Amino acid sequence: MPRWGMVFDLKKCCGCQTCFISCKIENFLPAGMYWNHVYDYETGEYPHVKRNFLPTVCMHCDEPGCLEVCPTGATIKREDGIVYVDYDKCIGCRYCMMACPYKARYFNDKIKNYYPGNITVYEAFPKELRAEFQRHEPGIVSKCTFCMHRVDRGLSLNLIPGIDPEATPACVVNCPAQARYFGDLDDPESEVAQLISKRSGYQLQKHLGADPSVYYLK
Amino acid sequence: MKSYNPTEFAFQTEWVEKRGLWLVMAFFLGGLGGGLYLVSLYLNYLPGIVTAFFIVAVGKGGTHLLYLGKPLRFWRAFLKPQTSWISRGIISVAGFVLFVGLQLLPEVPGFSFLPWTMHSGLIQGLAIASAVLLIAYTGFALGVVNSIPFWNTALMPLLFIIYSLLGGTGLTLGLLLGTGNTVINIEVVEAVARWFLLTAIVIVGAYLWISYHVNPVAKYSVFQLIKGRVSPYFIGGVLVLGLAVPVTVTALELVYNLPYTVMLSGVACELIGGFSLRYTILKAGAYTPLV
């Protein structure tokens, strides 16, 4: 069984936010909801200032704190390492948000339209045609799913996630700088495993012991 | 886009702002009700037990439901006590309402035919166990969250237990004074309250001291309590109203026979302190910066 993971090359990320937008489009995220961030921040002091970008998604940890604390079993970890929320089971207690050190979860108090009074074609897309986790509703917590609908559909068509675009998360496919990689962390021959090995990929907040499936390259 | 700098500390907001205030209230009322029950049971003070039942059943249960995003699905929270402290907490609330309710039922006119009494061993044992879990679970729920270092300490359950018992003792005293009790020795309750107050001072001090020295994020949270944006609530609510005023009142009571109104004011201050403690601890909880 693979363990899906993502690698962000910080040297390549130019902070264009294409991943952010493509995630919103792919997953029908309503206004005010973000599963994909590129934080833009400065380090150093004038005249030695550096502008940095830090892309983040749900880290799909191997030992997810959110899974343990969820009182209803709404947070589920699949055998391939993808962690997702079953919207029908979530009660909106937000304990998972406390337990997530990456602030990767979002509570939808109410679903907002992008343009008050108008519903775009994108927002009007029928819910029954969307994947389950794309049917957003108020009062529950949601998060990045590594586009598991694309991964699953791709695998059913004998495609390889991380190589075939149709089987790869939208943010990875659409990144114009090719700063994102997706693949099987447990396969030493995969591109992600090779990058982590050769370029000393590291995890955020490793000391917390969650063992995230997202790695960063300096 | 969120304006968040991943090199800086970020506070949790979901459990304290907007609807999160209902959760703060739920944590407070749960502790208060559980503490009141245990103290009242020890004193065999029926009005206290009845009050505790309603505080938990209506106050704690109601505010917790108001907080949830999907309140009608609350029953699902019973399903994962093996790992989740929120699940254990809701089981303690349900257990408390059920067993204290059963305990009280024979005291209700028309139900004296029931084959058990208020002090029947099994029901009382289960009610006590539920109450203990109820006053402890909040501290454990926060204590196990390792993403927020200020909460992630073994002192957290102890702090919440002591504040629950302190609040329970204070409210018992308030009920005794307010209802003109002549059966229970109020001096005993005052003495217990004094010990709980002293214990609370020691534990709050130890909690701040250890948090200040253990981790830079926790230190930042302590800084928020002492000098930062939470300090008016912590210094005013927890330290002055919650500890200094009740200590002064109970100390004066040792020497002078204070009027009931002064004693009741001390109790009110103590309860404000209990609420402020929960509020400020939740408000000061900060995540470790991502980079």
Side-chain angles (χ1 to χ4, degrees), chain B residues 84-233:
Chain B
S84 174
W85 275 103
I86 291 290
S87 197
R88 290 166 193 158
I90 199 163
I91 288 170
S92 75
V93 174
F96 185 91
V97 172
L98 175 66
F99 298 122
V100 176
L102 285 174
Q103 218 183 354
L104 289 171
L105 212 50
E107 305 292 325
V108 177
F111 286 88
S112 54
F113 64 89
L114 289 169
W116 67 84
T117 66
M118 202 175 92
H119 297 290
S120 292
L122 181 64
I123 293 174
Q124 181 168 286
L126 290 168
I128 291 171
S130 303
V132 171
L133 184 59
L134 179 62
I135 64 172
Y137 98 88
T138 321
F140 281 102
L142 298 181
V144 298
V145 174
N146 68 356
S147 56
I148 298 178
F150 185 51
W151 298 352
N152 191 213
T153 163
L155 276 177
M156 194 60 101
L158 202 55
L159 183 65
F160 276 79
I161 289 170
I162 282 298
Y163 259 85
S164 298
L165 294 172
L166 178 63
T169 312
L171 192 53
T172 306
L173 193 58
L175 288 171
L176 290 171
L177 293 168
T179 55
N181 158 76
T182 52
V183 181
I184 292 165
N185 187 351
I186 288 181
E187 285 177 9
V188 174
V189 186
E190 286 172 354
V192 173
R194 248 173 245 128
W195 280 108
F196 281 142
L197 270 170
L198 290 175
T199 314
I201 290 168
V202 171
I203 292 179
V204 168
Y207 173 53
L208 296 182
W209 184 264
I210 290 170
S211 299
Y212 188 83
H213 289 92
V214 78
N215 177 296
V217 188
K219 183 177 183 175
Y220 184 70
S221 293
V222 175
F223 183 80
Q224 293 302 312
L225 293 182
I226 306 300
K227 285 184 175 175
R229 61 189 194 120
V230 195
S231 60
Y233 308 102

